Amino acid sequence: MTGRCPCLLGEPYDDCCGRFHRGEATAPTAERLMRSRFSAFAVLDADYLLATWDPRTRPADLDLDPSQRWTRLDILGSSGGGLLDTTGTVEFRAHFVLDGERGSLHENSRFVRADGLWLYLDAMASGRRLPRL
């Protein structure tokens, strides 16, 4: 992928979340992992999503819908999840277009750090329309 990263930090994809997706670096904080996971949904990288999902809650596989286009990510808040933390939460709203209709996913995600790597654990979700996984 070329151009600006879907996570909207303003960097080119290759220099931002692309390096996490390629395995060249790991997300240093829970928020950066959340951003990289949003970008993985946007570029249809199911392998990265599964690899960054805690094994206790990870599904066996993911079937991403290529017709669902993720358009914007808003970080609403966070707690913990820093360089010295082992747990954290990130509240966000992810916007998408599916079947010509706009929708959003509002989620408060929980993250854990295991062996130095941040992993997505689970979430409390609310929103008008949930994405197809």
Side-chain angles (χ1 to χ4, degrees), residues 120-133:
Y120 168 77
L121 181 61
D122 60 16
M124 304 271 303
S126 66
R128 296 189 314 245
R129 187 172 179 188
L130 294 178
R132 295 181 191 161
L133 296 180

Side-chain angles (χ1 to χ4, degrees), residues 93-113:
R93 186 175 320 280
H95 302 267
F96 61 89
V97 175
L98 178 62
D99 299 330
E101 295 182 31
R102 295 184 184 277
S104 66
L105 171 68
H106 178 202
E107 186 172 297
N108 193 12
S109 296
R110 293 191 310 157
F111 296 88
V112 295
R113 187 158 51 184

Side-chain angles (χ1 to χ4, degrees), residues 3 9 23 61 68 76 98 108 116:
L9 281 178
D61 61 5
Q68 184 170 18
L76 305 175
L98 178 62
N108 193 12

Side-chain angles (χ1 to χ4, degrees), residues 30-70:
E31 181 180 326
R32 286 295 282 141
L33 179 63
M34 209 265 9
R35 288 179 177 279
S36 70
R37 287 176 56 83
F38 172 83
S39 292
F41 274 103
V43 300
L44 303 174
D45 189 343
D47 290 339
Y48 180 79
L49 292 165
L50 290 170
T52 57
W53 205 316
D54 188 289
R56 296 172 291 175
T57 56
R58 177 177 53 219
D61 61 5
L62 283 179
D63 184 23
L64 301 179
D65 185 345
S67 68
Q68 184 170 18
R69 190 171 50 89
W70 294 94

